[in-house]
Amino acid sequence: MKKTTIVIPNYNGINFIEGCLRSIFADDAEAKVIVVDNGSSDGSTKCLKDFPKVELIELWDNTGFSHAVNVGIQAADTEYVLLLNNDTEVAAGFLAAMEKALDRHPKAFSVSSQMRNLYRRDEMDNAGDLYTALGWARARGGGKDFTPYQREKKVFSACAGAAIYRKAIFEEIGYFDETHFAYLEDVDVGYRARICGYENWYTPDAVVYHAGSGSSGSKYNAFKINLSSRNSIYIIGKNMPLLQILINLPFFLIGFLLKILFFVKNGFGLLYIKGLGKGFGLSFSETGKEKHVPFEARHFLNYLRIELELLINMFRVLFGCDF
């Protein structure tokens, strides 16, 4: 009986999906895989005829990353669910290493893999996510040599591009927030798990190679900047009690001002500011109020641990030390 179902969201991934699937079945010939197609128009699912063991779920339109993976998670009938971007290729032993890592940590909600650049394979792409008191979310190790990231450790949240989760905990804390559509949804769900006392880990034992921006097309584009700036505000409004927001407000002001200056310099300033405005609007909307995580006194110590980590992560990011 398989312990894990691999869920792959696909949107116009014709250049990647076949390579991704071939690497999975080369690693584990009996892997259980669900591909959730988000209304692709490029014929990328036609290659699935070569993979008869893959279950295909076809959606009517591009409903976003969060909705697509939720559909896949809910369709899975295994204890663990592993999310994998379509623009990845897994190394030998990947699935077994991910399962063993989650087994080692009974309080873990998720485990993030060692994601490296598909084209520069000694370069890190993501070693788990950091979230900071500046309101920034950062990929550990992004663009750096992979050598220093060979130690298993707790992280703020797992990068959903290649991470394994305990399905039962989704039932407790909720699934990926579909309001996000895409970007920072993995930080949000990891944040909710942390509030409830669960852990998120990074393991270097499971290696996966990631093309990066395979669906959105580039590191900085209007689609990504609009959503990520909106969601960066929404995460704060959704997950933080008012007192924690007030404590971090000076850091948020500095952090978002620095981001505005960065995007102004790169020609996206107005777009980024509009996205922030949308984030405020979403946070105070009926949807935002409905999604807000209410403060519970029994989770007080968890909030304290999170706040301490946000402050530590702020200095780690500012001084470039995220090992």
Side-chain angles (χ1 to χ4, degrees):
M1 180 68 179
K2 285 291 180 183
K3 182 183 287 188
T4 303
T5 299
I6 299 173
V7 174
I8 304 172
N10 179 66
Y11 177 66
N12 289 342
I14 195 167
N15 294 324
F16 302 103
I17 185 69
E18 185 172 358
C20 177
L21 291 170
R22 291 200 184 283
S23 72
I24 290 169
F25 288 110
D27 180 45
D28 185 336
E30 300 302 318
K32 190 179 180 78
V33 180
I34 297 174
V35 171
V36 183
D37 186 68
N38 243 336
S40 294
S41 58
D42 65 347
S44 51
T45 58
K46 291 180 180 178
C47 73
L48 297 187
K49 67 179 184 299
D50 295 328
F51 303 94
K53 295 176 184 176
V54 173
E55 177 183 348
L56 173 64
I57 299 176
E58 294 184 277
L59 303 180
W60 64 96
D61 198 0
N62 183 6
T63 60
F65 177 90
S66 299
H67 178 258
V69 297
N70 283 346
V71 169
I73 293 167
Q74 291 165 352
D77 59 0
T78 51
E79 180 182 0
Y80 298 163
V81 177
L82 193 154
L83 303 186
L84 197 62
N85 278 6
N86 62 358
D87 59 346
T88 58
E89 294 180 8
V90 306
F94 173 80
L95 179 57
M98 291 293 271
E99 291 177 338
K100 288 176 183 177
L102 198 51
D103 289 342
R104 279 194 297 273
H105 303 289
K107 290 183 65 177
F109 165 54
S110 68
V111 174
S112 193
S113 64
Q114 182 177 136
M115 298 180 74
R116 299 193 208 166
N117 189 293
L118 180 64
Y119 307 111
R120 299 179 296 278
R121 296 200 168 200
D122 289 341
E123 180 182 300
M124 284 297 302
D125 182 74
N126 188 294
D129 289 328
L130 295 176
Y131 188 57
T132 80
L134 295 167
W136 299 353
R138 288 289 179 88
R140 288 182 64 237
K144 300 178 182 179
D145 180 79
F146 77 95
T147 307
Y149 299 90
Q150 300 305 308
R151 183 168 62 91
E152 189 165 275
K153 65 177 298 179
K154 289 180 185 178
V155 292
F156 187 85
S157 59
C159 173
I164 192 168
Y165 299 84
R166 281 191 167 86
K167 185 180 177 184
I169 295 178
F170 280 111
E171 301 293 335
E172 177 184 347
I173 68 171
Y175 289 78
F176 285 89
D177 185 348
E178 296 177 12
T179 309
H180 278 266
F181 191 87
Y183 303 115
L184 302 180
E185 71 292 317
D186 46 5
V187 177
D188 171 67
V189 78
Y191 200 144
R192 283 184 273 134
R194 295 288 304 277
I195 290 171
C196 292
Y198 295 107
E199 300 168 347
N200 300 300
W201 284 80
Y202 159 75
T203 181
D205 299 335
V207 178
V208 59
Y209 301 99
H210 181 217
S213 301
S215 294
S216 62
S218 63
K219 185 175 181 180
Y220 298 118
N221 57 69
F223 175 78
K224 182 174 182 178
I225 292 168
N226 178 57
L227 281 176
S228 60
S229 58
R230 184 198 71 163
N231 293 343
S232 64
I233 295 293
Y234 178 49
I235 281 181
I236 294 168
K238 175 181 178 180
N239 292 293
M240 286 192 182
L242 179 59
L243 178 59
Q244 190 176 18
I245 292 175
L246 293 175
I247 289 170
N248 290 299
L249 186 58
F251 304 121
F252 291 151
L253 292 174
I254 293 169
F256 286 112
L257 176 59
L258 290 174
K259 284 279 192 177
I260 290 170
L261 293 175
F262 172 83
F263 283 110
V264 166
K265 182 179 178 181
N266 288 275
F268 294 105
L270 184 58
L271 183 66
Y272 182 78
I273 293 170
K274 285 182 177 179
L276 296 179
K278 290 177 182 178
F280 282 107
L282 177 58
S283 298
F284 289 101
S285 69
E286 289 303 315
T287 297
K289 292 174 183 177
E290 180 184 332
K291 297 280 188 178
H292 180 74
V293 179
F295 174 80
E296 295 183 41
R298 64 193 176 104
H299 293 150
F300 179 72
L301 288 178
N302 298 331
Y303 281 104
L304 283 181
R305 294 186 187 101
I306 290 169
E307 180 59 27
L308 179 61
E309 186 171 346
L310 297 184
L311 293 170
I312 292 172
N313 285 346
M314 176 175 65
F315 289 104
R316 292 171 71 191
V317 168
L318 289 176
F319 291 99
C321 180
D322 62 1
F323 301 149

